[in-house]
Amino acid sequence: MKVIKLLLIAAIAFIGIVGFRWYNYVTNTESPYNEIGIELNSRMPGPINKWGCDKLHETFGNVLPPYGCQTADGRQWL
């Protein structure tokens, strides 16, 4: 039982850290090209990725979109 409890705590901590890093990336005001942030956002489920891309587009709408937030041609925001 203690092992399950420890694994559950570790999983919650991991999700919390990843979630914080992702949220910190999509709400930043410095650059949309942070490699870790791009990777985290591109791997998020559809609605979460869309929300992150929308937040980045609000802040950085005049630059090329990062991977995961671009159309097929790579020049337009989703």
Side-chain angles (χ1 to χ4, degrees):
M1 193 64 170
K2 288 184 179 186
V3 173
I4 293 173
K5 186 176 180 181
L6 181 63
L7 289 174
L8 183 61
I9 291 171
I12 290 171
F14 179 76
I15 290 169
I17 291 169
V18 169
F20 176 77
R21 290 288 306 252
W22 169 80
Y23 184 78
N24 200 22
Y25 166 68
V26 298
T27 59
N28 80 74
T29 58
E30 294 177 15
S31 172
Y33 304 118
N34 176 290
E35 292 178 18
I36 295 172
I38 290 171
E39 191 64 31
L40 289 174
N41 193 49
S42 68
R43 295 185 182 269
M44 288 293 169
I48 296 173
N49 176 278
K50 174 81 171 109
W51 184 85
C53 290
D54 290 344
K55 292 295 282 182
L56 288 168
H57 190 210
E58 286 176 18
T59 308
F60 305 106
N62 57 345
V63 299
L64 289 174
Y67 176 75
C69 294
Q70 52 188 274
T71 57
D73 67 357
R75 299 197 157 284
Q76 302 294 320
W77 289 84
L78 288 177

